[in-house]
Amino acid sequence: MAFDYSLDFDHIDFRKDPEKYRVGRGEQGVLLVEPYKSEILPHWRFKTPDIARESSEKIYSMFLEYKEKNDFVGMDMARKFLQMGYTRARRYTNYKGGRKYNKEGKINERNIDEEKAQSAAIFQTKWKAVREDQEYLKLKKEHQKKYG
């Protein structure tokens, strides 16, 4: 089932009401679902490989804490932040300032930033670990079967 953007995100605590959460596709809802957004976002950084390593390790440790509590929504939100760390770092790897399109709507020329590429690879490793975690996959399947 698609991510439901029609919900009143300002007033839903998804920890208390996990049945309202939908996985959606990719990173959908990553900056909407509380209290997880507020817990994870302060740790999400990718400017340099060292910062990306610290950030991805912290977010991965949060994933493990959510897992320990059997909190699928928290686990999935941590996965989304790790995925977003990868995708955003890749965008900055390929385009200075992260801007793919110029003011005329044409694609800017790629200019590979090796430092950002390293940051992306660091996030990708943690994202892959989460995506392949058997308990996460089991809980994801159960959540989607039960709630959509």
Side-chain angles (χ1 to χ4, degrees):
M1 179 174 272
F3 190 82
D4 186 357
Y5 286 101
S6 70
L7 297 175
D8 183 6
F9 290 96
D10 291 336
H11 297 97
I12 298 172
D13 179 334
F14 286 89
R15 183 169 285 128
K16 292 179 183 173
D17 296 313
E19 71 281 356
K20 294 180 180 176
Y21 180 77
R22 300 296 177 269
V23 174
R25 298 176 77 179
E27 304 157 19
Q28 288 183 317
V30 71
L31 298 176
L32 295 172
V33 176
E34 292 289 4
Y36 306 101
K37 178 195 107 175
S38 294
E39 293 171 357
I40 302 169
L41 183 61
H43 306 289
W44 182 74
R45 302 284 180 268
F46 59 88
K47 187 173 185 175
T48 67
D50 287 340
I51 291 169
R53 189 169 295 105
E54 181 181 335
S55 174
S56 66
E57 287 173 3
K58 174 61 178 171
I59 295 169
Y60 184 72
S61 75
M62 294 174 83
F63 168 83
L64 294 175
E65 289 171 21
Y66 295 131
K67 180 179 175 179
E68 195 173 291
K69 295 174 183 172
N70 205 35
D71 182 347
F72 169 72
V73 179
M75 293 169 70
D76 197 51
M77 288 296 292
R79 188 260 316 155
K80 288 181 182 196
F81 272 96
L82 292 169
Q83 182 174 354
M84 189 167 68
Y86 168 71
T87 59
R88 295 309 180 278
R90 284 302 312 167
R91 173 66 61 91
Y92 281 82
T93 295
N94 294 328
Y95 304 102
K96 186 169 179 61
R99 294 185 188 1
K100 184 174 181 177
Y101 298 96
N102 63 24
K103 292 177 183 175
E104 292 80 40
K106 295 183 180 170
I107 295 178
N108 285 323
E109 184 176 330
R110 282 188 176 199
N111 185 7
I112 304 301
D113 180 330
E114 291 301 327
E115 187 175 53
K116 294 292 186 292
Q118 290 174 30
S119 293
I122 290 164
F123 269 97
Q124 185 179 35
T125 299
K126 294 295 186 192
W127 175 35
K128 184 177 181 185
V130 168
R131 286 190 331 232
E132 296 174 356
D133 183 283
Q134 292 304 305
E135 183 67 16
Y136 166 76
L137 293 171
K138 177 182 160 251
L139 291 174
K140 178 180 176 183
K141 189 174 185 176
E142 288 173 4
H143 187 89
Q144 290 176 313
K145 185 176 181 181
K146 191 171 182 180
Y147 303 119

